[in-house]
C-alpha cells in the first residue's frame, strides 16, 4: 500500500498466513516482504514490523530464522529510532528460543550489548524490565566433562549480565534506576543458586545500598517493594550484617510509600534473620510506625501484626505489642 496505515496493519498478518502456507516459495516470498516492511522509510512501519516479529519467528523453521530473521534483528537493534530499538528488546526472547543453544550467545550477545548501553534511556528502561527473561532465553545448559555438573550459563556472559545490572542500578536516569530496583530480586533469583550469595554480596550490594538513599522517592519505593526478598538468597549472616541496616533505613524513610512497602514484605525476612534480630532491631521501628502520621502505614502494620505475633510468640507479643493493639482499638 501507499499509506503507512495499510503497511502497519499488514505486519500483523504474516504469522497467521505463514503457517498456513505449505509452499516453500510462498513462505520465502512472505519473509522477503516482511523484511522489506522492517526496512521501510517510515518509522511507524518499522515499529509495527518489530512489534510483530516475535510472533512471526515462532512459526518459522530454524534455518529461515537463522538466515533471514537474525540479520534483520541486528538491523533493528541499530535503527535510528529509539521506539524501534525499544521493541527489539522483546524480539531477543523468541529469537533466542528459535536458535540452537550453542548459537544463541554467538549470534545475539553483540546486539544485546548494544541494547544495554543504548543512548536512549527508554531503551535501557525497557531492557532492564526484560533482563531476567533475556538472560534465561540465552542460557546454555551444558555438562562439565570433568565434574559432570550442569553449568547454567556461560560464565563470561553471566558476568556481563551482572555488570549490566550493576550499571542499570546506577544509571543516570531515575526511570531506569526505578525499573532496575524493581527487577533486582527476580534477577538475583535467576542467578545460579550456588553463586547467588557471592554475586549479591560482591557485585550488587553496593549499588543496592546507594539506592536506599537515592534522591528520587520512586526509586526507593520500587526498591522497598522487593529488596526484602533478597534475604532468603543470602542467608542469615549476610542478611543480618548487610541487609538489616538497609531495611531499618527504609523503615524510617520520609516517604510513606517506602515505609509501607517494607512493612508489607516483612514476612520475607522473619524466617531468615531469626527472632532475636527482629526483636532487637525491627520491632522498635515497627512500634514507631504504629503511630505513623499516614493512615495507610498504620493500616499496613495492623494487617501484618497477626503474622508478626506468630513469629514473635506469646510472651514477646504480650510484653511489646498488646498496648499497641489496644491503642488502635481506642
Amino acid at each position: 500500500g501507499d499509506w503507512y496505515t495499510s503497511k502497519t496493519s499488514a505486519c500483523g498478518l504474516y504469522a497467521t498466513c505463514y503457517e498456513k502456507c505449505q509452499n516453500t516459495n510462498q513462505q520465502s516470498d512472505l519473509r522477503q516482504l516482511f523484511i522489506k516492511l522492517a526496512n521501510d522509510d517510515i518509522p511507524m512501519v518499522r515499529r509495527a514490523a518489530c512489534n510483530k516479529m516475535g510472533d512471526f519467528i515462532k512459526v518459522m523453521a530454524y534455518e529461515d530464522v537463522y538466515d533471514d530473521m537474525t540479520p534483520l534483528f541486528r538491523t533493528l537493534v541499530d535503527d535510528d529510532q529509539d521506539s524501534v530499538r525499544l521493541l527489539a528488546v522483546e524480539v531477543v526472547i523468541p529469537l533466542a528460543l528459535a536458535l540452537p543453544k550453542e548459537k544463541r550467545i554467538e549470534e545475539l550477545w553483540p546486539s544485546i550489548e548494544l541494547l544495554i548501553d543504548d543512548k536512549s534511556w527508554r531503551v535501557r528502561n525497557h531492557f532492564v524490565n526484560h533482563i531476567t527473561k533475556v538472560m534465561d532465553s540465552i542460557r546454555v545448559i551444558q555438562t562439565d566433562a570433568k565434574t559432570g555438573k550442569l553449568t547454567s550459563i556461560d560464565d563470561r556472559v553471566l558476568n556481563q549480565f551482572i555488570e549490566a545490572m550493576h550499571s542499570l542500578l546506577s544509571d543516570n536516569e531515575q526511570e531506569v534506576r526505578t525499573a532496575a530496583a524493581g527487577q533486582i530480586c527476580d534477577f538475583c533469583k535467576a542467578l545460579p543458586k550456588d553463586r547467588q550469595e557471592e554475586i549479591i554480596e560482591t557485585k550488587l550490594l553496593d549499588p543496592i545500598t546507594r539506592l536506599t538513599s537515592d534522591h528520587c522517592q520512586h526509586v526507593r519505593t520500587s526498591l522497598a517493594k522487593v529488596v526484602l526478598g533478597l534475604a532468603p538468597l543470602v542467608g542469615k549472616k549476610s542478611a543480618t550484617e548487610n541487609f538489616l541496616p538497609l531495611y531499618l533505613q527504609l523503615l524510617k524513610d520520609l516517604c510513606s510509600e517506602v515505609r509501607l512497602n517494607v512493612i508489607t514484605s516483612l514476612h520475607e525476612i522473619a524466617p531468615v534473620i531469626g527472632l532475636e534480630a527482629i526483636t532487637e532491631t525491627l520491632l522498635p521501628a515497627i512500634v514507631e510506625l504504629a503511630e505513623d502520621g499516614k493512615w495507610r502505614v498504620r493500616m499496613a502494620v495492623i494487617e501484618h501484626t497477626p503474622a508478626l505475633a506468630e513469629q514473635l510468640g506469646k510472651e514477646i507479643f504480650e510484653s511489646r505489642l498488646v498496648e499497641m493493639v489496644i491503642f488502635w482499638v481506642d
Side-chain angles (χ1 to χ4, degrees), residues 80-135:
D80 61 1
Q81 296 289 316
D82 62 358
S83 60
V84 176
R85 302 196 304 275
L86 181 148
L87 291 171
V89 172
E90 297 178 39
V91 179
V92 175
I93 299 162
L95 184 56
L97 296 177
L99 294 173
K101 293 177 181 179
E102 63 273 11
K103 288 187 175 291
R104 291 175 186 175
I105 294 172
E106 174 189 345
E107 295 295 331
L108 299 180
W109 183 251
S111 297
I112 292 173
E113 281 189 305
L114 291 177
L115 294 171
I116 293 169
D117 297 324
D118 197 277
K119 61 185 177 182
S120 168
W121 71 265
R122 291 180 178 83
V123 178
R124 301 195 304 275
N125 183 77
H126 202 63
F127 181 84
V128 78
N129 279 320
H130 292 78
I131 189 170
T132 302
K133 291 181 179 179
V134 170
M135 185 170 72

Side-chain angles (χ1 to χ4, degrees), residues 215-271:
H215 65 84
C216 175
Q217 71 178 49
H218 299 296
V219 175
R220 302 195 308 274
T221 301
S222 181
L223 180 68
K225 195 171 185 177
V226 300
V227 71
L228 275 72
L230 295 176
L233 305 182
V234 298
K236 181 176 180 178
K237 186 175 184 295
S238 181
T240 305
E241 294 177 1
N242 298 320
F243 285 93
L244 193 55
L246 305 184
Y247 302 155
L248 286 170
Q249 182 176 339
L250 292 170
L251 273 173
K252 297 175 181 179
D253 196 277
L254 294 176
C255 175
S256 62
E257 286 296 315
V258 176
R259 303 194 299 273
L260 184 64
N261 283 345
V262 176
I263 293 167
T264 55
S265 303
L266 282 174
H267 63 280
E268 300 260 18
I269 63 168

Side-chain angles (χ1 to χ4, degrees), residues 139-159:
R139 180 167 294 182
V140 178
I141 306 295
Q142 54 190 11
T143 304
D144 188 282
K146 295 181 179 179
T147 64
K149 292 182 178 180
L150 293 178
T151 303
S152 61
I153 191 170
D154 179 89
D155 281 343
R156 178 180 59 85
V157 174
L158 175 62
N159 290 333

Side-chain angles (χ1 to χ4, degrees), residues 1-137:
D2 294 328
W3 291 92
Y4 80 88
T5 50
S6 64
K7 295 179 181 180
T8 56
S9 298
C11 292
L13 300 175
Y14 277 82
T16 301
C17 295
Y18 192 86
E19 61 181 346
K20 303 294 183 186
C21 293
Q22 301 300 319
N23 186 304
T24 55
N25 290 331
Q26 288 179 334
Q27 289 183 337
S28 178
D29 289 343
L30 285 173
R31 292 196 304 276
Q32 296 309 312
L33 286 170
F34 186 87
I35 292 171
K36 183 179 178 181
L37 287 173
N39 286 282
D40 196 271
D41 291 336
I42 302 174
M44 284 82 82
V45 179
R46 302 199 302 276
R47 188 161 62 238
C50 195
N51 190 35
K52 298 298 181 181
M53 187 172 169
D55 294 334
F56 196 21
I57 287 171
K58 290 175 183 177
V59 298
M60 286 187 201
Y62 151 67
E63 295 82 3
D64 299 326
V65 173
Y66 184 77
D67 291 340
D68 293 333
M69 295 298 108
T70 304
L72 178 59
F73 170 70
R74 296 194 191 102
T75 301
L76 293 171
V77 168
D78 201 34
D79 196 274
D80 61 1
Q81 296 289 316
D82 62 358
S83 60
V84 176
R85 302 196 304 275
L86 181 148
L87 291 171
V89 172
E90 297 178 39
V91 179
V92 175
I93 299 162
L95 184 56
L97 296 177
L99 294 173
K101 293 177 181 179
E102 63 273 11
K103 288 187 175 291
R104 291 175 186 175
I105 294 172
E106 174 189 345
E107 295 295 331
L108 299 180
W109 183 251
S111 297
I112 292 173
E113 281 189 305
L114 291 177
L115 294 171
I116 293 169
D117 297 324
D118 197 277
K119 61 185 177 182
S120 168
W121 71 265
R122 291 180 178 83
V123 178
R124 301 195 304 275
N125 183 77
H126 202 63
F127 181 84
V128 78
N129 279 320
H130 292 78
I131 189 170
T132 302
K133 291 181 179 179
V134 170
M135 185 170 72
D136 284 341
S137 70

